Amino acid sequence: MIFIMNERMAIQDYYSDPMAHCYGCGRLNEVGLKFKSYWDGKESHASFKPRAYHTAFPGFVYGGLIASLIDCHGTGTAAAAAYYAEERDMGTEPELRFVTASIQVSYLKPTPIDTTLELRGKVKEIKGKKVTVEVELSANNELCARGEVIAIKIPDTMKITI
Amino acid sequence: MIFIMNERMAIQDYYSDPMAHCYGCGRLNEVGLKFKSYWDGKESHASFKPRAYHTAFPGFVYGGLIASLIDCHGTGTAAAAAYYAEERDMGTEPELRFVTASIQVSYLKPTPIDTTLELRGKVKEIKGKKVTVEVELSANNELCARGEVIAIKIPDTMKITI
């Protein structure tokens, strides 16, 4: 299978400019988190160091950040997997970009704030415009949260209006 | 039923200081969102105006913020409902404070960023230490997202370590 993706480039670096304003993962959102995901042809990976103020309680990350990272990682993984399934290089037209239809996150244990969080995504199913992605979030090699994102390909008609 | 809660005080204003550092809803988190929920004895309500940079795409709110608001509103509602069920005033000891065990959010339509978001929470079930809360998030009187939060009462032993 031909699949060219520079492994040093994040999935989100391939998003077109109008699609790159997400507070979580948009490279053009000046104050956003600039979260980045990487695709190895089979799974997706990401790392994120929480800021000191991303607290739930002192010492632990608030759940909203964890949901945000899983969300961005899920839609990014969906995009990479969709290009891969079509045997197309990321960044080629027409752009394959996904939004979240639903997210579910189980918080398995308190997530420490003073370390780098590691995310891993796996595609559970690709069915038409829908990609289901399972995401695990770990800290210090301990699984802290598990999520599932149902991502839907943005229709071309919607992209025109953005 | 005796239940004294100053309606001008938010649920989160009753959290004890060690419990008031959440980036989403902690009054002591200096850079946080300071999201506030109100309980009317039956349901919970909240409003939040997204910042201009909380974008998914230009003009629309990113899903991570929506999940964060539903999360904080869910745990806040759980606390208020738990005090109410025990016929106790909020703020009395021992403190009833909840963390999120799981969250599910369905994004029903793109949420506009240039308006105030309105949240409403209803308790679906109280069972032991577990409170399940359903949350609806609307903008311009249109339902944009629906969520369910399973909140778990923090054990006293954990509170001591915070």
Side-chain angles (χ1 to χ4, degrees):
Chain A
M1 179 184 283
I2 297 168
F3 184 76
I4 298 168
M5 177 174 167
N6 185 330
E7 288 188 6
R8 290 170 300 179
M9 268 184 76
I11 295 168
Q12 290 86 359
D13 289 334
Y14 287 98
Y15 292 173
S16 64
D17 284 0
M19 303 284 173
H21 292 272
C22 175
Y23 181 81
C25 65
R27 67 178 178 279
L28 301 180
N29 190 314
E30 291 184 7
V31 298
L33 304 176
K34 293 189 170 60
F35 173 76
K36 291 181 184 295
S37 308
Y38 298 85
W39 172 253
D40 67 8
K42 192 175 168 194
E43 292 183 3
S44 57
H45 303 267
S47 301
F48 186 82
K49 180 77 175 72
R51 321 292 193 248
Y53 50 76
H54 283 147
T55 32
F57 307 115
F60 299 102
V61 178
Y62 84 108
L65 178 72
I66 291 169
S68 297
L69 301 181
I70 289 175
D71 188 351
C72 291
H73 196 60
T75 52
T77 302
Y83 276 105
Y84 193 77
E86 293 190 9
E87 301 189 17
R88 286 173 49 199
D89 298 339
M90 284 208 76
T92 58
E93 295 291 335
E95 184 174 13
L96 302 176
R97 182 74 162 89
F98 287 75
V99 289
T100 307
S102 83
I103 184 171
Q104 192 279 328
V105 179
S106 296
Y107 298 93
L108 306 174
K109 58 173 62 181
T111 301
I113 201 166
D114 59 353
T115 189
T116 297
L117 310 181
E118 304 287 346
L119 294 94
R120 172 185 289 196
K122 290 183 185 178
V123 175
K124 185 179 178 184
E125 185 183 55
I126 299 181
K127 195 173 182 180
K129 298 177 186 303
K130 189 172 88 171
V131 180
T132 305
V133 181
E134 295 173 327
V135 180
E136 290 185 343
L137 183 145
S138 302
N140 299 330
N141 294 315
E142 284 201 292
L143 182 63
C144 295
R146 183 179 283 133
E148 183 172 290
V149 174
I150 298 176
I152 304 288
K153 187 160 83 75
I154 299 176
D156 291 339
T157 50
M158 185 177 165
K159 280 191 277 188
I160 293 167
T161 67
I162 289 172
Chain B
M1 182 184 283
I2 298 167
F3 183 77
I4 298 169
M5 177 174 167
N6 185 329
E7 289 187 6
R8 290 170 299 178
M9 268 184 77
I11 295 169
Q12 290 86 357
D13 290 335
Y14 287 97
Y15 292 172
S16 64
D17 285 359
M19 302 284 173
H21 292 272
C22 175
Y23 181 81
C25 65
R27 67 179 179 279
L28 300 181
N29 190 315
E30 290 184 8
V31 298
L33 303 176
K34 293 191 170 62
F35 173 76
K36 291 181 184 295
S37 308
Y38 298 85
W39 172 254
D40 68 9
K42 192 176 169 193
E43 290 183 4
S44 58
H45 302 268
S47 301
F48 186 81
K49 179 78 175 70
R51 320 295 193 248
Y53 50 78
H54 283 146
T55 34
F57 308 116
F60 299 102
V61 178
Y62 85 108
L65 178 72
I66 291 169
S68 297
L69 301 181
I70 289 175
D71 188 351
C72 290
H73 196 59
T75 50
T77 302
Y83 276 104
Y84 193 77
E86 293 190 8
E87 302 189 17
R88 286 174 47 200
D89 299 340
M90 283 207 76
T92 57
E93 294 292 335
E95 182 173 16
L96 302 176
R97 181 74 162 89
F98 287 75
V99 289
T100 307
S102 83
I103 184 171
Q104 192 279 328
V105 179
S106 295
Y107 299 93
L108 306 174
K109 57 173 61 182
T111 301
I113 201 167
D114 59 351
T115 189
T116 297
L117 310 181
E118 304 287 347
L119 293 94
R120 173 186 289 197
K122 290 183 186 178
V123 175
K124 185 179 178 184
E125 185 182 55
I126 299 181
K127 194 172 182 180
K129 297 178 186 302
K130 189 172 89 170
V131 180
T132 304
V133 181
E134 295 173 328
V135 180
E136 290 185 344
L137 182 145
S138 303
N140 300 330
N141 293 315
E142 284 200 294
L143 182 63
C144 296
R146 183 179 283 133
E148 183 170 291
V149 174
I150 298 176
I152 303 288
K153 187 160 81 75
I154 299 175
D156 291 338
T157 49
M158 184 177 164
K159 279 189 279 188
I160 292 167
T161 67
I162 291 172

